[in-house]
Amino acid sequence: IPALASISRSSGVLLGVAASSGKLNDTDYKKLLVRHFSSVTPEAECKIKELTPQGPDHYVWDKCDAVYRYAVENGKYFRLHTLLWWDHLPDWLDKGSFSPRKLRAWTVGHIEKVMARYPDAYAVDVINEGVADEFPGGVTASLDGVRRGNKWFPLIPDYLELAFKTARRVNPTAKLIYNDYNIASMYGWMREKSNAVYLLLRDMKSRGVPIDGVGIQMHFCLSAFDEPGTFEGIAYNFQRLGQLGLEVHITELEFNCSPYGDPCPRWNRASLDKQAALYRQVTRLCLDYSHICTMMSTWGASDRFSWRGPEQHALLFDEEFRPKPAFFALAEEF
Ligand code: XIL
């Protein structure tokens, strides 16, 4: 089967994958990652919960280091995910009652430590999922959508730019990314949140906040583009984000059998073919807009290790690491 990492290298789009340190010890799986992907994103190891499970000053680096070492030793780009996320926080932070001053000091220190430890990171998801999912009052101003109730907002109202400025101060060259889900298309079911993120990024760029790109996760199910116009709205969204001077990273691409939380009702040849067509569509779009869409990563390589479980059949390789129709469809586009 074609080696995706080599056939995609000259395409202008960096092809990546999420991997966790434990699975990197599986030699067959590691071979798959080395052969087919040019970038690696640590699936969980570099998040606050994994780095500081016990307390604010006790860092456990070994698992995040393991993914970074895999990248450095195998000549892969390292996509550092993620400095600040509202979810997956350790109890000491989730249940802690920090004063704004103390939380600000810890947060700046955390970003400094993590950025300094991985200086060769190609891109960093500085903020993950900082915008709400619903907008009861509609989306008008840029900060309307900022996710309320996370640890930083509104305790530290300027936490978004604080994070980007701190990350840039430590690493002058890494691509600093704002990463989120359900923000791919200007039309259809993703419209409102896409607009909220666009407004937020336009506002921050206009104030000189050092943001280089937006990470569009693309955790989709097979019906994601069924509503007419939804897929076309992705191209328009790429264009308006590009006009802000931002690049787009497709960061967590997958096409699951069913929406998040729903069991997979059936999976057959027609499902495999639809999944292949969807991976092909997104790959073609990123390649057609490679001046804006500079990388695309799938959230895992094999269904065996998919975070949604193997029964969602979401990825390019099946549970036995065999390539699925989606793999060949994606390969043909490069
Ligand atoms: C998920 C990982 O896949 C899981 O292994 C972990 O337990 C929780 O986080 N959006 C994101 C990712 O940005 O960080 C999440 O990854 C999936 C949703």
Side-chain angles (χ1 to χ4, degrees):
I1 59 168
L4 270 185
S6 45
I7 61 173
S8 60
R9 187 161 294 123
S10 56
S11 70
V13 172
L14 197 57
L15 185 61
V17 68
S20 70
S21 50
K23 295 155 193 165
L24 285 172
N25 297 328
D26 177 323
T27 42
D28 292 338
Y29 195 60
K30 187 173 171 181
K31 261 189 235 154
L32 204 67
L33 298 184
V34 171
R35 180 170 169 75
H36 295 296
F37 301 97
S38 306
S39 167
V40 66
T41 304
E43 190 170 347
E45 295 77 0
C46 308
K47 293 167 181 171
I48 296 176
K49 184 170 187 174
E50 278 73 15
L51 290 179
T52 57
Q54 305 306 327
D57 305 316
H58 177 238
Y59 278 76
V60 181
W61 295 110
D62 53 326
K63 292 202 174 81
C64 187
D65 286 356
V67 184
Y68 183 70
R69 207 171 31 254
Y70 160 82
V72 171
E73 287 169 0
N74 290 281
K76 304 298 180 184
Y77 288 92
F78 182 67
R79 254 197 127 271
L80 178 56
H81 176 80
T82 175
L83 295 178
L84 302 183
W85 188 26
W86 61 273
D87 195 359
H88 220 73
L89 292 175
D91 285 347
W92 66 265
L93 181 55
D94 211 10
K95 301 186 171 50
S97 52
F98 281 81
S99 70
R101 193 181 51 74
K102 273 194 74 174
L103 179 61
R104 190 183 191 91
W106 182 84
T107 301
V108 169
H110 175 70
I111 294 173
E112 288 171 340
K113 288 185 188 77
V114 180
M115 291 298 289
R117 192 173 182 94
Y118 305 112
D120 294 342
Y122 154 75
V124 183
D125 289 334
V126 174
I127 299 288
N128 194 36
E129 305 179 0
V131 166
D133 288 320
E134 282 84 34
F135 305 87
V139 175
T140 50
S142 63
L143 285 183
D144 278 8
V146 177
R147 183 186 293 275
R148 301 191 183 286
N150 71 24
K151 290 313 285 185
W152 293 276
F153 193 85
L155 210 62
I156 306 174
D158 67 332
Y159 93 100
L160 293 165
E161 45 258 48
L162 175 69
F164 280 100
K165 286 176 181 167
T166 305
R168 174 59 74 231
R169 173 165 50 80
V170 179
N171 184 323
T173 56
K175 307 266 184 185
L176 303 183
I177 305 293
Y178 171 84
N179 192 49
D180 214 330
Y181 61 92
N182 293 354
I183 61 165
S185 178
M186 278 175 70
Y187 304 139
W189 58 278
M190 293 180 262
R191 181 190 190 99
E192 271 207 319
K193 190 172 179 180
S194 298
N195 288 343
V197 166
Y198 174 74
L199 281 174
L200 177 67
L201 296 175
R202 187 179 65 181
D203 173 59
M204 289 210 278
K205 284 296 275 186
S206 70
R207 289 187 285 114
V209 177
I211 299 180
D212 300 304
V214 52
I216 301 181
Q217 292 183 7
M218 293 205 184
H219 290 286
F220 287 143
C221 62
L222 294 187
S223 59
F225 304 155
D226 284 358
E227 187 184 346
T230 305
F231 180 72
E232 290 70 20
I234 303 178
Y236 290 114
N237 199 28
F238 280 11
Q239 283 170 326
R240 69 173 175 176
L241 291 162
Q243 278 151 16
L244 294 181
L246 293 170
E247 54 186 271
V248 168
H249 289 188
I250 295 172
T251 51
E252 308 181 17
L253 182 62
E254 58 183 6
F255 283 100
N256 292 284
C257 168
S258 54
Y260 191 82
D262 295 356
C264 177
R266 87 191 71 70
W267 186 261
N268 51 31
R269 182 73 223 185
S271 318
L272 278 167
D273 291 345
K274 181 164 188 185
Q275 183 183 57
L278 288 162
Y279 269 104
R280 183 191 296 277
Q281 257 188 307
V282 170
T283 306
R284 182 74 264 137
L285 182 73
C286 189
L287 286 164
D288 290 347
Y289 286 85
S290 59
H291 54 299
I292 297 170
C293 183
T294 56
M295 81 160 316
M296 56 184 280
S297 292
T298 55
W299 200 245
S302 157
D303 294 341
R304 182 189 304 177
F305 297 137
S306 167
W307 74 301
R308 288 279 309 274
E311 69 285 349
Q312 284 293 328
H313 303 279
L315 297 167
L316 298 177
F317 294 86
D318 69 16
E319 287 181 77
E320 305 313 316
F321 300 171
R322 290 173 307 222
K324 295 154 65 176
F327 168 88
F328 294 103
L330 185 147
E332 278 165 21
E333 293 305 317
F334 274 103

